[in-house]
Amino acid sequence: MKQLTQNLPKWQKKSAPLLGLLIIFSTWGNSNQAIAATVDVAIPQSSLFDVISARAKKLASEEYVAPKNIELEALNNIDYQDYRSIRFKKDKAVWKDEGLYELQLFHPGFLYKTPVTINTVDSDSKRSRLPFSTDFYQYDGTAAPLQEEIAKSVADTQLGHAGFRLHYPLNTNEYKDEVMVFQGASYFRVVGPQQVYGLSARGLAIDTAENSGEEFPMFKEFWLVKPKADQTQITIFALLDSPSISGAYKFNVDPTTNMLVDVDMQIFARKDIKKLGVAPLTSMFYHGENSTKFFDDYRPEVHDSDGLLTQSADDKWVWRPLNNPSQLSVTSFSYNNPKGFGLAQRDRDFNNYLDTEAHYHNRPSLWIEPQGEWGNGRVELVEIPTDTETNDNIVSYWVPEKPMKAGDSLKLSYKMTTFNAALTQHEKARVLRTRIGSAALPGEDNPPPKSHRQFTVDFTGSEINQLSEQLKLDADIQLTTGEVTDVNVQKLPDSRGWRVAFKIAPQDDQPVDMRLSLKLRDKEISEVWSYVWYPNDIK
């Protein structure tokens, strides 16, 4: 322990034996040969993040050791329906009827072949590792024969868990809703009131959309601090590891009128990292109002999110509608100390989806708000072609300007908040819809090429909707290439907003990067609409 503790603060030096126990017992929890046992280690909650950070730093100084997958063929070979037939028994929930929160576990197997260690921390700061047991689960249908086989195979081993989910009375006092789930790599999802799961967050993204391939760090161990009976907040700690990086995370979860999660992270680079993605969000956009391809689908729109929203330090808001492109698209928005970014599902009208099962109109929007100064960097948006709604093809994250090198560390904090169509702090007019069509006039004898397009962008907002149609609003349109013509601004009927209509003619086959905002007497009164048109999107 001498080498590990020589640079620690005084309290950590005093806790060195406990730190050693934490490392040893956690290593047991990641082994398929471990004895199924519960071990209590007392570490003050106020010290736990620093203890996990010290462990992450030590891991990063060593050669990466990949976690072992489960070796039980019965679980590795089951299909989706079999896995869905294994359900956690509600009466076995951790902290059952002891307070506002309850904890349920996920069974390993199927896609989740790398179990994680899950610990609880009680009011006396003692850690208890949650063992796996087939008694926790109901094996129905085709999964029924698995119960006895699994029980015999793991009789003297510790199988571990695929993840966990938190339950809390979010929408009614009589029922505890599922409000947060951690399952797979560093993925987690949250919902606010009256929302259903949609987009995912991640602990970290590494080399997304790089030719070398993406690396997916994994939360290998969790510590959940048991709340008091009437406590509305819960704290979760996690240890992240991957071939390139290790890190400690703290999640302070606060479900109120929205779901609020305060995130503290400290990461340590094991080797040079080409592209670091902080606070990544992953979503799906199959088709929507701005799609130019034909989709053989009875539903008008299918997506978990319909746009990327960013806010600069000087309160300039930018809205980028999402797209299902013909080829991989990576775009960036450069900022110095941004106030926030997120993926949003602005369209909350059921009639625009007509899906009674997926409930896309109730999917959450997520806002990332940096705490402290993040410096220079960029918000990057990755859009990946997909031919099915089952693929998450949208990713967004913050990329610091300074790359991480082996031996570097980075400590950042941010708030994550769910919302519906709009953020309360966003006071400017916002984009309501984006529609694209042919620039040709009906019956035109000599129509322009198909790559020439007609755009209509509608803006809405409580203040702009009340403006008189007699006022003259101007459209500030900027293009990187090509030409814009036939610009027209008009108020929509029944105070439903304002429309900007225009045509663009690309230059050769070059993409047209556009920016548009509404102005009243030279004052910008709307967010900035940002869009890239690729001429080859029309075949």
Side-chain angles (χ1 to χ4, degrees):
M1 294 301 299
K2 182 178 180 182
Q3 181 179 359
L4 181 62
T5 62
Q6 60 184 356
N7 295 320
L8 298 180
K10 291 182 178 179
W11 71 262
Q12 283 184 292
K13 291 181 180 179
K14 293 179 181 178
S15 303
L18 293 181
L19 181 58
L21 287 172
L22 179 65
I23 293 171
I24 293 170
F25 290 137
S26 296
T27 302
W28 284 357
N30 288 330
S31 171
N32 291 334
Q33 302 302 316
I35 300 298
T38 298
V39 181
D40 293 333
V41 179
I43 300 176
Q45 180 184 341
S46 59
S47 306
L48 192 50
F49 181 76
D50 295 309
V51 170
I52 300 171
S53 294
R55 182 180 169 195
K57 183 177 181 180
K58 184 177 185 297
L59 280 174
S61 68
E62 302 169 345
E63 185 176 348
Y64 175 69
V65 178
K68 292 183 179 180
N69 290 343
I70 54 177
E71 298 175 352
L72 188 58
E73 290 300 318
L75 286 176
N76 284 330
N77 296 329
I78 63 174
D79 60 20
Y80 175 68
Q81 291 301 328
D82 289 337
Y83 188 72
R84 285 195 63 184
S85 299
I86 304 174
R87 296 177 297 169
F88 190 87
K89 297 177 180 177
K90 294 181 181 180
D91 62 341
K92 298 293 185 180
V94 181
W95 308 325
K96 177 70 174 176
D97 298 328
E98 296 180 18
L100 295 176
Y101 283 94
E102 291 181 3
L103 171 66
Q104 295 186 15
L105 306 171
F106 286 112
H107 200 291
F110 184 48
L111 299 176
Y112 309 102
K113 300 178 181 180
T114 308
V116 298
T117 302
I118 301 174
N119 309 283
T120 59
V121 181
D122 64 17
S123 57
D124 294 326
S125 299
K126 289 187 178 181
R127 179 188 73 97
S128 298
R129 178 163 56 85
L130 298 178
F132 171 86
S133 173
T134 54
D135 293 338
F136 296 162
Y137 298 93
Q138 181 71 38
Y139 298 80
D140 296 324
T142 55
L146 291 173
Q147 182 171 8
E148 184 176 353
E149 183 177 354
I150 296 170
K152 290 181 179 178
S153 300
V154 301
D156 297 320
T157 64
Q158 178 48 247
L159 193 60
H161 311 280
F164 64 90
R165 57 192 177 198
L166 287 175
H167 290 251
Y168 177 89
L170 186 67
N171 297 305
T172 172
N173 290 329
E174 285 70 40
Y175 180 78
K176 293 178 180 177
D177 306 277
E178 185 177 335
V179 297
M180 189 174 194
V181 56
F182 285 83
Q183 188 179 26
S186 68
Y187 284 84
F188 62 98
R189 297 196 291 179
V190 295
V191 290
Q194 305 301 324
Q195 294 177 345
V196 298
Y197 282 135
L199 79 168
S200 301
R202 277 193 272 170
L204 208 62
I206 295 179
D207 293 344
T208 305
E210 292 291 319
N211 292 331
S212 57
E214 183 170 2
E215 178 178 305
F216 291 89
M218 173 184 174
F219 286 135
K220 62 188 298 181
E221 187 163 2
F222 294 93
W223 296 260
L224 293 91
V225 180
K226 182 181 179 180
K228 297 178 181 178
D230 58 350
Q231 189 172 333
T232 59
Q233 298 181 0
I234 186 172
T235 302
I236 303 169
F237 298 90
L239 175 67
L240 179 138
D241 198 24
S242 78
S244 298
I245 210 160
S246 290
Y249 283 73
K250 177 183 178 182
F251 303 92
N252 191 61
V253 183
D254 185 9
T256 53
T257 53
N258 293 308
M259 172 66 82
L260 173 64
V261 183
D262 287 309
V263 183
D264 297 312
M265 54 175 281
Q266 185 167 20
I267 55 178
F268 304 88
R270 182 178 274 113
K271 61 182 182 179
D272 294 352
I273 298 173
K274 186 180 300 183
K275 182 166 65 177
L276 181 71
V278 176
L281 303 175
T282 301
S283 193
M284 179 275 295
F285 186 94
Y286 184 36
H287 63 89
E289 63 194 18
N290 57 317
S291 297
T292 55
K293 293 182 290 185
F294 171 72
F295 291 87
D296 194 8
D297 195 326
Y298 75 91
R299 299 164 297 179
E301 301 180 39
V302 177
H303 49 75
D304 286 331
S305 306
D306 54 12
L308 169 69
L309 181 66
T310 65
Q311 181 188 15
S312 66
D314 59 354
D315 289 328
K316 181 177 287 292
W317 296 84
V318 176
W319 173 254
R320 170 68 187 276
L322 299 178
N323 191 22
N324 182 357
S326 300
Q327 57 190 6
L328 177 68
S329 173
V330 181
T331 53
S332 298
F333 301 85
S334 297
Y335 291 108
N336 179 37
N337 294 319
K339 284 191 176 180
F341 68 93
L343 292 175
Q345 183 78 318
R346 276 188 173 174
D347 191 341
R348 320 225 32 111
D349 187 345
F350 168 79
N351 291 322
N352 292 333
Y353 302 97
L354 300 178
D355 196 318
T356 57
E357 295 181 2
H359 300 285
Y360 287 114
H361 61 293
N362 286 333
R363 301 292 171 112
S365 303
L366 275 179
W367 183 245
I368 303 297
E369 183 181 351
Q371 302 297 291
E373 295 188 352
W374 280 21
N376 290 317
R378 66 184 188 271
V379 175
E380 191 165 275
L381 173 66
V382 178
E383 297 167 302
I384 306 168
T386 183
D387 58 2
T388 173
E389 65 191 279
T390 59
N391 292 335
D392 281 340
N393 63 321
I394 304 295
V395 191
S396 184
Y397 42 79
W398 170 257
V399 182
E401 183 179 64
K402 182 182 178 182
M404 283 196 78
K405 301 293 184 182
D408 288 349
S409 65
L410 179 65
K411 191 172 186 177
L412 292 174
S413 298
Y414 57 92
K415 290 181 180 291
M416 175 183 295
T417 309
T418 61
F419 66 102
N420 290 320
L423 290 162
T424 56
Q425 65 266 37
H426 187 352
E427 298 177 347
K428 288 187 175 182
R430 64 185 187 275
V431 175
L432 179 63
R433 64 181 68 90
T434 300
R435 294 190 179 273
I436 308 170
S438 171
L441 297 173
E444 189 172 3
D445 292 333
N446 187 24
K450 290 183 178 181
S451 61
H452 292 218
R453 309 307 291 172
Q454 169 76 54
F455 279 80
T456 61
V457 181
D458 295 343
F459 291 84
T460 189
S462 58
E463 295 181 354
I464 193 176
N465 291 355
Q466 301 305 313
L467 293 178
S468 169
E469 60 185 11
Q470 303 301 319
L471 284 174
K472 183 178 183 300
L473 299 189
D474 296 314
D476 183 3
I477 304 180
Q478 303 173 29
L479 278 66
T480 55
T481 61
E483 181 183 4
V484 59
T485 60
D486 300 331
V487 180
N488 181 44
V489 182
Q490 61 178 336
K491 188 174 183 180
L492 297 175
D494 302 323
S495 298
R496 294 180 180 177
W498 290 74
R499 171 168 295 176
V500 180
F502 59 95
K503 296 179 180 179
I504 62 163
Q507 181 180 343
D508 301 323
D509 290 329
Q510 298 181 45
V512 184
D513 194 342
M514 298 169 278
R515 294 173 68 87
L516 161 68
S517 62
L518 279 176
K519 288 188 174 182
L520 175 60
R521 302 187 183 95
D522 294 327
K523 182 179 180 181
E524 189 174 77
I525 60 173
S526 75
E527 66 186 10
V528 175
W529 172 85
S530 171
Y531 204 86
V532 178
W533 168 251
Y534 296 91
N536 59 7
D537 275 355
I538 297 295
K539 304 297 183 183

